[in-house]
Amino acid sequence: MQFRERAKVIQLIRTVYDPAIKRGRAELVGSLDKDAPEIGAALRQACSPAELAEIHAYLAQREQALSQDAVRQAAQDLPAQMRMAEQYFRLGGDALAGTQAAEIYAAWEDLKKVLHKSGYRKQKRSD
């Protein structure tokens, strides 16, 4: 089974041997919504148990990749977000600044511990 990701859907394609042309022919089995992929009853009937297992494995792998990408992107965006937070607190913040500062301190302490345990030590500045 092949999986083709289009703009808003994931197409499920099966290759079937066609004796008339003596080669494989692609057959669209169904499609899944890319944002919320759910295997419906019609798709369950159209697929063999092996194909359903392949679909489940593909969706699990896709979900894992997307969540890893999201986490990686958040880590890459963090320095810029921290600079923006710096400006927010320099300007005096607002009524929620105290609560936000406490949450930032707690998250920062957790992040420092993880960075240290992962081997990413603080670099000495050569100013």
Side-chain angles (χ1 to χ4, degrees):
M1 180 158 278
Q2 296 176 7
F3 303 94
R4 288 189 189 149
E5 292 199 28
R6 299 294 186 212
K8 296 192 182 262
V9 297
I10 301 169
Q11 292 179 331
L12 309 172
I13 300 165
R14 174 191 301 141
T15 303
V16 179
Y17 180 73
D18 188 351
I21 59 173
K22 297 183 182 178
R23 63 180 179 152
R25 181 177 43 85
E27 177 181 278
L28 182 65
V29 178
S31 61
L32 300 171
D33 182 9
K34 202 171 183 179
D35 295 329
E38 291 183 20
I39 302 171
L43 187 57
R44 286 186 194 282
Q45 289 179 341
C47 294
S48 69
E51 289 174 331
L52 285 174
E54 196 174 342
I55 294 168
H56 285 293
Y58 172 80
L59 292 176
Q61 179 271 333
R62 184 177 179 275
E63 182 179 337
Q64 181 182 13
L66 290 176
S67 68
Q68 287 175 348
D69 287 344
V71 170
R72 183 183 306 111
Q73 187 64 45
Q76 290 171 347
D77 292 346
L78 183 60
Q81 293 290 328
M82 291 175 72
R83 297 289 178 215
M84 291 174 67
E86 175 188 358
Q87 288 300 318
Y88 167 76
F89 288 108
R90 280 181 195 259
L91 296 173
D94 57 18
L96 298 175
T99 304
Q100 291 169 338
E103 289 178 22
I104 290 170
Y105 275 121
W108 176 239
E109 289 302 317
D110 293 341
L111 181 59
K112 284 195 313 187
K113 288 176 192 173
V114 169
L115 288 172
H116 186 75
K117 286 181 181 179
S118 298
Y120 301 105
R121 305 288 192 257
K122 185 175 179 180
Q123 302 269 332
K124 290 184 180 179
R125 286 190 173 181
S126 56
D127 293 335

